[in-house]
């Protein structure tokens, strides 16, 4: 009879950890994935079993962060700014113009962090804004799908409101409401 091994064999993950080349490759892959918010979003959607469990990465334009820091140096970073879902998929030919306008508004008046809901046709313009976004598939732009995507802005990205933008971006009264909200948040945290 063959001799049985008395010590259990370590799991494969332990063996992989002992090899420096494997550790380096794993760390490099993880860093590369984490550096691309769109890839994190796709992998999160694939891995999520239940939509409320999804949490999407939020990025903020560097110009908006710098503008806000210049005005309010005591303010914390953008992680405490109000997150607002901005719906632009309904604009058709003016959608790309609206995306650019909302990104410009965030830099000029850095009171909020926009999360854009755009159509697949405007994906390049949405990427260029530097803001996080979700897409409405062209082949399935039904009220049910749009409603699901709007709910994803709230549950997945943490949007506190969802507003429709026009071709010129958000309306002046919406921007003023965001400024007032930001001031109230800052005062509640003890800022001036």
């Amino acid at each position: 009879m063959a001799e049985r091994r008395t010590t259990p064999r370590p799991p494969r993950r332990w063996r992989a950890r002992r090899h420096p080349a494997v550790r380096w490759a794993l760390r490099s892959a993880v860093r590369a994935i984490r550096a691309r918010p769109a890839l994190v979003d796709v992998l999160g959607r694939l891995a999520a079993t239940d939509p409320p469990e999804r949490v999407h990465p939020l990025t903020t334009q560097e110009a908006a962060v710098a503008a806000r820091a210049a005005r309010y140096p005591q303010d914390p970073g953008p992680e405490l700014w109000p997150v607002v879902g901005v719906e632009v998929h309904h604009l058709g030919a003016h959608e790309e113009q609206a995306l650019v306008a909302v990104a410009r508004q965030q830099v000029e008046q850095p009171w909020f962090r926009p999360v854009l809901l755009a159509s697949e046709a405007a994906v390049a313009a949405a990427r260029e804004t530097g803001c996080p976004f979700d897409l409405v598939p062209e082949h399935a732009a039904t009220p049910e799908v749009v409603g699901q995507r709007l709910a994803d802005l709230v549950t997945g990205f943490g949007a506190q409101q969802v507003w429709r933008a026009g071709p010129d971006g958000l309306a002046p009264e919406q921007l003023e409401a965001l400024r007032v909200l930001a001031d109230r948040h800052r005062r509640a945290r003890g800022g001036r």
Side-chain angles (χ1 to χ4, degrees):
M1 196 151 127
E3 209 173 291
R4 294 182 77 180
R5 190 178 184 138
T6 58
T7 58
R9 203 175 222 180
R12 291 176 194 246
R13 67 177 183 268
W14 290 352
R15 283 186 269 157
R17 287 182 185 165
R18 283 189 276 164
H19 299 290
V22 173
R23 279 196 316 247
W24 174 82
L26 288 172
R27 284 189 195 126
S28 297
V30 168
R31 267 190 245 120
I33 290 169
R34 286 184 178 157
R36 292 174 179 81
L39 188 55
V40 171
D41 178 38
V42 169
L43 292 174
R45 286 176 187 261
L46 291 174
T49 56
D50 193 18
E53 294 175 6
R54 283 200 307 242
V55 176
H56 301 293
L58 280 174
T59 57
T60 306
Q61 297 180 70
E62 291 178 17
V65 174
R68 176 85 176 241
R71 290 182 192 166
Y72 302 103
Q74 75 279 7
D75 247 9
E79 58 276 355
L80 294 179
W81 298 1
V83 178
V84 177
V86 180
E87 194 179 353
V88 296
H89 68 91
H90 62 282
L91 294 173
H94 300 289
E95 185 174 1
E96 291 182 13
Q97 175 186 345
L99 288 166
V100 171
V102 170
R104 181 179 30 81
Q105 287 173 330
Q106 188 201 14
V107 173
E108 292 171 356
Q109 301 180 15
W111 314 118
F112 65 104
R113 297 173 77 181
V115 177
L116 307 170
L117 182 61
S119 68
E120 285 182 343
V123 68
R127 268 196 198 107
E128 288 177 17
T129 64
C131 301
F133 62 91
D134 202 354
L135 299 174
V136 175
E138 288 182 34
H139 65 279
T142 63
E144 292 82 19
V145 171
V146 172
Q148 167 113 26
R149 297 302 169 128
L150 289 171
D152 284 349
L153 294 184
V154 175
T155 59
F157 288 101
Q160 297 164 345
Q161 304 97 7
V162 178
W163 289 337
R164 278 193 157 196
D168 297 326
L170 292 173
E173 59 271 12
Q174 292 170 326
L175 292 171
E176 181 61 22
L178 290 169
R179 187 192 64 74
V180 169
L181 280 173
D183 284 343
R184 288 179 184 168
H185 283 288
R186 192 173 55 255
R187 277 191 236 120
R189 289 191 311 267
R192 294 180 184 213

